[in-house]
Amino acid sequence: MSQIAPVLIRKDTEKPTAWRYVLSDKRDLRIDFMRGIALVMMVVAHTEVMSIFNIFTWERFGLVTGAEGFVILSGFMLGMLNRARLQKAVLLTISWGLYLRAWKIYRVNIIIILSFLLLGYMPFINVFEVTHFTDRYSGTTWALYPVTPQIKETWFNIVLYLQIGPHQTQILGLYIFLLLLSPLFLGMLQRGYVYWLLGLSLLVYGCWQIWPVRVTPSQFEFAFPLLAWQFIFVLGMCSGWYKEDLISFARTPAGKVVLVALVMIALVLGFIAQNHTNPFMPPGLLMHSLSPENFNAFYHTWAAKNGLGPVRVVNDISLMVTVYLLLTWCWQPLYRLAGWFLIPLGQHSLYTFILHVYVVFLVSQFVTFDLWRQDWVVNTFIHAVTLGVLWLMAKYNVAARWIPN
């Protein structure tokens, strides 16, 4: 065997498929790579200056954002990992672990809320960018923390129910509720009720599109309504649970037809995204094949961001499959180009996400957030430093003992 192995290795490296991804251990680095992309998109969006990074991350390759990728891949990992765990442990044990994780993230969320509340009392510190949300187009600002004195009972309630906090970390509230629901989803998958799970999730999603209601008093519901966003989390969880089955199906003739269709959909929606009416993007970087009126009507009706329009969901699925295929076929050059940077972020996704609000806060002490100012060199440097700090912290596990991942 030892004499044959070198020959096999030599022949394999001579093939034109040498760029392909090879699964060397149980961890799929392609998923980490994709989570790293989602994190970069979110960090750039939350550090509100216009740079070269925005050109590649701001709905440029489709009508998608990093937030959807974060939710879908979180569900994917939970489905994939817990299918293996449920072969060795009972659902009750797995559920208890998920509840403990939700409790840990809830505590972190409370700490984030209180930390900026306390920092706001220091006169030499500016907490505006983490305690307010500003529509950069109109200049309208909404306070995310109370601006008038509150009694102690009110403070207790609004903190306990996550009714205040930085908009940069609102998605953590969504993630807490999705973790609390995960044992139900896993129980249905374990019993083979995948079609029931998908059907019920789709029904809830569809009902929300017609009758949008908030089922929790938490602040995250304004940006990430639970009844809408649970759908892509369930899609991700089901895909993770059936990962090996889906890969086997993809190798069949019917599976290859589905893959081609998904890639074509991603390309078409990527073309449509080039006609975006984003007012902060230089007009020369946008296409004008669709009129602004037609694009806006399509975008706000079918691809709404907060409401997670159906076309956006389709775009999320098709683009993630396309990126996964691209990483599979062209792994070696893409890894050398960006893997060294994206994979550490992806492997510390929750850790990095929690820390990024503090890094954004620090940046805001020295930089005035303004998307109209197109100082490309300075702003690109700001984004690069912000991402570089987060990468270094993830790479060397700074404070990892206290920050969950």
Side-chain angles (χ1 to χ4, degrees):
M1 180 64 70
S2 60
Q3 295 176 346
I4 297 175
V7 176
L8 292 176
I9 293 173
R10 179 179 57 79
K11 287 184 177 180
D12 189 52
T13 55
E14 292 174 352
K15 294 180 180 180
T17 57
W19 281 7
R20 287 181 63 93
Y21 180 83
V22 177
L23 190 63
S24 57
D25 54 32
K26 294 182 179 180
R27 190 174 188 106
D28 191 337
L29 296 180
R30 291 167 294 186
I31 301 299
D32 293 326
F33 195 108
M34 293 170 67
R35 290 201 295 187
I37 294 174
L39 280 166
V40 168
M41 293 171 70
M42 285 192 287
V43 172
V44 170
H46 291 162
T47 310
E48 297 185 70
V49 294
M50 193 69 186
S51 81
I52 293 175
F53 286 94
N54 296 91
I55 295 175
F56 297 99
T57 62
W58 202 340
E59 294 190 326
R60 294 293 286 163
F61 297 99
L63 305 174
V64 299
T65 66
E68 295 117 66
F70 189 75
V71 172
I72 292 172
L73 291 172
S74 295
F76 183 91
M77 295 302 295
L78 279 176
M80 182 180 68
L81 295 175
N82 285 305
R83 180 172 187 175
R85 290 170 181 163
L86 283 169
Q87 296 176 357
K88 303 176 182 178
V90 297
L91 180 61
L92 182 61
T93 302
I94 301 298
S95 301
W96 180 246
L98 291 171
Y99 291 144
L100 289 178
R101 183 168 178 78
W103 170 240
K104 181 181 290 187
I105 296 173
Y106 176 77
R107 297 200 312 269
V108 169
N109 214 335
I110 296 294
I111 291 171
I112 291 173
I113 292 171
L114 294 177
S115 65
F116 290 115
L117 183 63
L118 294 175
L119 286 169
Y121 287 106
M122 300 182 182
F124 54 89
I125 292 180
N126 179 13
V127 296
F128 182 85
E129 295 297 346
V130 292
T131 59
H132 294 74
F133 174 77
T134 302
D135 181 342
R136 300 296 171 184
Y137 179 72
S138 66
T140 306
T141 297
W142 291 268
L144 303 176
Y145 282 73
V147 294
T148 57
Q150 306 289 323
I151 61 175
K152 289 186 294 184
E153 290 78 4
T154 301
W155 278 115
F156 179 80
N157 287 330
I158 60 178
V159 172
L160 182 68
Y161 293 113
L162 306 180
Q163 293 177 312
I164 61 175
H167 70 89
Q168 293 91 345
T169 54
Q170 285 179 350
I171 200 170
L172 288 179
L174 171 69
Y175 194 46
I176 291 167
F177 281 90
L178 292 175
L179 280 173
L180 294 176
L181 291 170
S182 292
L184 171 63
F185 302 154
L186 290 173
M188 295 183 71
L189 288 171
Q190 187 181 32
R191 289 166 176 77
Y193 298 154
V194 59
Y195 294 117
W196 278 100
L197 175 58
L198 288 171
L200 289 173
S201 179
L202 178 60
L203 178 63
V204 171
Y205 168 82
C207 288
W208 188 91
Q209 298 297 325
I210 301 172
W211 304 290
V213 295
R214 295 172 58 201
V215 293
T216 77
S218 301
Q219 186 189 69
F220 76 85
E221 286 266 21
F222 292 103
F224 309 103
L226 177 61
L227 296 185
W229 285 69
Q230 56 78 31
F231 181 52
I232 59 173
F233 181 80
V234 169
L235 284 176
M237 182 175 283
C238 293
S239 299
W241 183 274
Y242 289 103
K243 178 188 175 185
E244 297 304 324
D245 305 81
L246 290 172
I247 290 175
S248 297
F249 172 72
R251 296 191 179 102
T252 66
K256 292 177 181 178
V257 171
V258 172
L259 289 180
V260 170
L262 289 173
V263 172
M264 293 302 297
I265 291 171
L267 292 175
V268 170
L269 292 176
F271 169 79
I272 292 175
Q274 305 314 306
N275 295 270
H276 210 296
T277 57
N278 186 339
F280 306 108
M281 196 71 67
L285 297 177
L286 298 171
M287 296 179 63
H288 305 283
S289 302
L290 300 177
S291 69
E293 296 77 15
N294 288 337
F295 177 86
N296 286 335
F298 173 80
Y299 183 87
H300 295 295
T301 303
W302 299 103
K305 179 181 176 182
N306 293 351
L308 210 62
V311 170
R312 184 173 288 267
V313 174
V314 172
N315 203 166
D316 286 326
I317 297 168
S318 61
L319 186 59
M320 293 186 79
V321 169
T322 301
V323 172
Y324 191 82
L325 289 173
L326 183 63
L327 289 173
T328 300
W329 296 331
C330 304
W331 175 254
Q332 294 300 330
L334 291 175
Y335 176 79
R336 294 190 187 99
L337 177 66
W340 59 272
F341 181 80
L342 294 173
I343 289 174
L345 292 178
Q347 291 178 340
H348 298 79
S349 57
L350 183 59
Y351 165 92
T352 304
F353 184 82
I354 292 169
L355 281 177
H356 98 282
V357 67
Y358 293 99
V359 175
V360 170
F361 160 69
L362 288 174
V363 172
S364 71
Q365 304 305 295
F366 308 98
V367 177
T368 300
F369 286 180
D370 180 6
L371 294 174
W372 292 112
R373 189 182 72 252
Q374 296 183 350
D375 192 344
W376 295 101
V377 175
V378 173
N379 292 342
T380 300
F381 176 76
I382 291 168
H383 275 152
V385 170
T386 303
L387 292 166
V389 168
L390 289 168
W391 178 79
L392 286 171
M393 296 182 77
K395 181 76 172 178
Y396 296 102
N397 294 313
V398 178
R401 180 178 178 181
W402 300 281
I403 303 173
N405 188 40

